[in-house]
Amino acid sequence: MDVLLVALILVLGSEGVFTADWMGDSGMMDATAASYQHDCVVFLCRVEAVTVALAIACRLWTTAVTQLVVLTSAAVFIASLSTYWNP
């Protein structure tokens, strides 16, 4: 589910938000999506907090660690992508 969530964020952001060379578009950004990158990073951090808390409450240690690694890495990756507002 984490991979699908990150993929959805990337797919939705590929239409004029992200300028990373590997996405094939390094042109001007969509001004209506000025906060998209920040909002996605905040969303991933909140999802991480909730899912880790639930996993710890249910004593699912492997799930908690996996969520910490995957969602933290995804948030850092999304934050590192080049955009008009984050060159």
Side-chain angles (χ1 to χ4, degrees):
M1 288 304 294
D2 295 338
V3 173
L4 293 176
L5 179 64
V6 174
L8 179 66
I9 288 170
L10 291 175
V11 166
L12 293 176
S14 66
E15 278 301 316
V17 178
F18 298 126
T19 62
D21 291 337
W22 61 271
M23 293 187 126
D25 179 24
S26 58
M28 195 54 118
M29 299 303 87
D30 179 7
T32 61
S35 65
Y36 179 80
Q37 184 177 23
H38 176 263
D39 292 342
C40 289
V41 171
V42 169
F43 175 72
L44 285 172
C45 292
R46 288 182 181 161
V47 168
E48 175 188 2
V50 169
T51 56
V52 168
L54 287 172
I56 290 173
C58 296
R59 296 182 183 170
L60 300 171
W61 310 118
T62 305
T63 302
V65 170
T66 303
Q67 293 296 87
L68 281 172
V69 170
V70 171
L71 292 177
T72 300
S73 299
V76 169
F77 175 70
I78 297 293
S80 73
L81 289 175
S82 180
T83 64
Y84 185 71
W85 298 273
N86 179 32

